Amino acid sequence: MPKAQRMAQMLTVAEEIFAEQGYLATSMDEIAERVGVSKPMLYEYFGSKEGLLIGCIHRARTELREKTAAAIAGAQSPEEFLRLGLRAFFEFIDEHRRSWALLRQEAAVAVPSAQEEVEGIRQQQTDMIGAVLASFTPDIDPLEAEAFAEIVVGATERLAVWMERRPSVGPALATDYVMAVIWPGVAMKLPAPAPHA
Amino acid sequence: MPKAQRMAQMLTVAEEIFAEQGYLATSMDEIAERVGVSKPMLYEYFGSKEGLLIGCIHRARTELREKTAAAIAGAQSPEEFLRLGLRAFFEFIDEHRRSWALLRQEAAVAVPSAQEEVEGIRQQQTDMIGAVLASFTPDIDPLEAEAFAEIVVGATERLAVWMERRPSVGPALATDYVMAVIWPGVAMKLPAPAPHA
DNA sequence: CTCGTAACTTACTTCGAGTAACCTACTGCG
DNA sequence: CGCAGTAGGTTACTCGAAGTAAGTTACGAG
């Protein structure tokens, strides 16, 4: 099998098993077996168990960034930006139900460098939110903008986990809930109605 | 040394080393050495490395619950409940700076049962918030109340991590930020001004 | 001073991450 | 056809850390 393909397969299998059993409880031999290959191949491709985990997170991160960027492309107001971004995020989670808890919550623990990758995801989100906020209200206190972005990311992350436990709650409703709670508080910080629309 | 005392000492040392190096990178021998005792004693007291970790989380959880309960005891309005509860939480984090990221974020990963303990902390918080909300607005949609509690917990948790990175932000300011974002959205759900005060 | 037990230690076993060294099957080419 | 080079792969190890079995010391009560 060609390299790129094998690598993708390994990531897929690893993500699956990690999600099932947790990072620690999973052995490299186990992953290798399910891939249908021997352990040293995993080391050939990812260097270490930690590297494999990071590979999983990194791939998820890339996919999330692309989907989010695409989703918010046409937004015209800060409210629309937020709503579309949140929606894209929850949809992403919805597609990755099982893997998510691992990649974001569990995995972060195990290895410091995985923690960094996960922080990278959050950074991506807070940056995006911060940028949106700043572009619509240039005179906002930077520290406050940062706090706001963190709050939204935290709320969203937690609600994503909750959504997994509540099958009746889908991406649309989750988005509504978050917006209902945070939007009034944010709107108060913004200039009058809206710049131009 | 008597058992109870030894146990407390072990928890303190373990929390410290886990926070310094992370759960995985820490060996039981290392903890034992720093306690000034041999490894099997740790197993005598906690059964496993996982058990030791859970012991750490459990102790933190108990302390947090007690402090929060004491803090909100005298609150008269939902706003005051929330504010005092948040304040107590951020103060707790502030006192446990280094341990926090570990116990809540990193550690959760490694072992599924630690994850459960950590979820217990969150459960404690969401329950408390849900109860406050329900007591002031009995006719609120239960699902919505739950979502709200999750949002607040998520926002708070994330802001706590952020606070660690920003020395200039203390518990008071963190509380203000969270309240500024979420309170307007919540107030809209409440009945008129306030029941009696 | 010796019995009993709480608190502790030394010396293992086991299991999984990581590695060294070797193998195979295909591709292009004289 | 036959052979060289290499991508992709395997077997068989080492080593470190979790967990354990069996024995040892300290010390208060009779």
Side-chain angles (χ1 to χ4, degrees), chain A residues 72-141:
Chain A
I72 64 175
Q76 297 293 330
S77 68
E79 185 174 2
E80 203 184 350
F81 259 111
L82 262 184
R83 182 172 286 279
L84 292 175
L86 288 176
R87 181 72 189 258
F89 176 80
F90 283 124
E91 270 164 3
F92 177 80
I93 301 306
D94 204 42
E95 286 164 19
H96 290 71
R97 293 242 165 200
R98 280 183 330 194
S99 338
W100 181 249
L102 158 86
L103 291 181
R104 183 95 173 212
Q105 296 217 322
E106 294 198 30
V109 153
V111 279
S113 39
Q115 176 74 352
E116 281 170 33
E117 265 299 316
V118 171
E119 274 308 322
I121 299 184
R122 296 193 179 103
Q123 199 57 50
Q124 220 166 267
Q125 298 177 309
T126 51
D127 286 352
M128 204 174 284
I129 293 171
V132 168
L133 210 61
S135 77
F136 284 93
T137 67
D139 56 340
I140 194 170
D141 171 15

Side-chain angles (χ1 to χ4, degrees), chain B residues 3-49:
Chain B
K3 270 202 165 185
Q5 202 175 330
R6 182 62 92 194
M7 194 158 175
Q9 183 202 12
M10 284 172 172
L11 286 175
T12 303
V13 170
E15 189 176 322
E16 204 175 297
I17 308 193
F18 283 154
E20 274 169 24
Q21 318 182 341
Y23 176 76
L24 279 189
T26 303
S27 78
M28 291 296 267
D29 282 305
E30 201 177 345
I31 298 173
E33 193 190 348
R34 198 128 124 201
V35 172
V37 93
S38 71
K39 186 168 61 167
M41 285 314 293
L42 292 175
Y43 284 89
E44 171 77 18
Y45 280 75
F46 295 98
S48 65
K49 190 181 181 184

Side-chain angles (χ1 to χ4, degrees), chain A residues 78 82 86 125-126 128-134 137 140-156 178-179 181-187 189-190, chain B residues 155 158-159 162 177-178 180-182:
Chain A
L82 262 184
L86 288 176
Q125 298 177 309
T126 51
M128 204 174 284
I129 293 171
V132 168
L133 210 61
T137 67
I140 194 170
D141 171 15
L143 198 66
E144 198 174 347
E146 214 176 307
F148 165 70
E150 296 285 342
I151 287 170
V152 173
V153 169
T156 306
V178 175
M179 286 302 286
V181 173
I182 63 168
W183 185 249
V186 177
K189 302 283 175 187
L190 296 177
Chain B
R158 187 81 204 116
L159 212 59
W162 179 69
Y177 281 147
V178 174
V181 173
I182 63 167

Side-chain angles (χ1 to χ4, degrees), chain B residues 40-71:
Chain B
M41 285 314 293
L42 292 175
Y43 284 89
E44 171 77 18
Y45 280 75
F46 295 98
S48 65
K49 190 181 181 184
E50 184 173 332
L52 180 55
L53 175 64
I54 291 177
C56 292
I57 300 174
H58 195 82
R59 192 172 68 162
R61 175 181 170 179
T62 303
E63 188 185 339
L64 176 59
R65 180 176 50 229
E66 283 164 2
K67 291 204 170 163
T68 307

